[in-house]
């Protein structure tokens, strides 16, 4: 069982990702969702999260700062950024902070599935 945390300030993104993940990984995942970086920190500090799917641009604590803080106490977490920002600067900073993948919105459903599957394989090795 993989604990996956979805963090995005847009409810529709959380709902879409939840649908895709539950449909393609039944009985393999437990999903948690948050709408801000500070909520993500709170959840990640109380539950051992394996995979984090996070937006960068959120009010308050942004995704990059949230990643940086989570990696301090959970360096094994596999982080997937899903963002509307396609600027190289953001992707580079996310990778430097330890993000596994950087996907741009709107994200293709098949790419999400493939990326989560490869993240699971990475955790298993």
């Amino acid at each position: 069982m993989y604990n996956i945390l979805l963090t995005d300030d847009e409810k529709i993104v959380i709902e879409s990702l939840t649908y895709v993940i539950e449909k393609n990984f039944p009985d393999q995942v437990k999903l948690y969702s948050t709408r801000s970086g500070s909520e993500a920190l709170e959840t990640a500090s109380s539950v051992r999260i394996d995979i984090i799917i996070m937006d960068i641009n959120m009010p308050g604590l942004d995704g990059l700062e949230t990643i940086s803080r989570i990696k301090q106490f959970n360096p094994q977490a596999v982080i997937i950024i899903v963002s509307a920002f396609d600027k190289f600067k953001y992707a580079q900073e996310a990778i430097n902070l330890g993000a596994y993948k950087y996907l741009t919105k709107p994200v293709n459903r098949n790419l999400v599935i493939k990326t989560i599957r490869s993240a699971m394989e990475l955790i298993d090795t």
Side-chain angles (χ1 to χ4, degrees):
M1 183 73 66
Y2 302 92
N3 289 332
I4 298 178
L5 173 60
L6 307 174
T7 301
D8 198 301
D9 60 326
E10 295 181 51
K11 185 179 179 185
I12 188 73
V13 173
I14 297 281
E15 291 171 349
S16 298
L17 288 170
T18 298
Y19 175 79
V20 168
I21 293 168
E22 287 178 344
K23 184 176 180 197
N24 289 278
F25 301 97
D27 304 322
Q28 289 182 279
V29 302
K30 179 163 185 175
L31 291 177
Y32 299 85
S33 65
T34 57
R35 303 277 303 276
S36 70
S38 55
E39 287 179 19
L41 271 177
E42 190 177 309
T43 300
S45 64
S46 63
V47 177
R48 182 66 174 184
I49 299 295
D50 300 302
I51 300 169
I52 300 168
I53 300 174
M54 183 173 303
D55 188 15
I56 286 182
N57 189 26
M58 296 181 288
L61 196 60
D62 72 18
L64 294 174
E65 180 62 28
T66 304
I67 291 169
S68 176
R69 293 187 187 185
I70 290 173
K71 281 294 197 174
Q72 291 174 12
F73 61 84
N74 186 358
Q76 292 80 25
V78 178
I79 300 184
I80 301 163
I81 298 294
V82 176
S83 179
F85 289 117
D86 62 356
K87 294 183 178 172
F88 178 73
K89 173 182 115 173
Y90 288 113
Q92 186 178 33
E93 189 172 348
I95 299 300
N96 288 342
L97 290 171
Y100 174 62
K101 295 282 183 179
Y102 189 101
L103 309 176
T104 55
K105 293 178 183 176
V107 181
N108 176 290
R109 178 181 58 87
N110 291 327
L111 182 58
V112 170
I113 295 164
K114 179 181 173 188
T115 303
I116 292 172
R117 194 166 283 130
S118 67
M120 290 173 170
E121 290 170 5
L122 181 65
I123 290 165
D124 292 344
T125 57

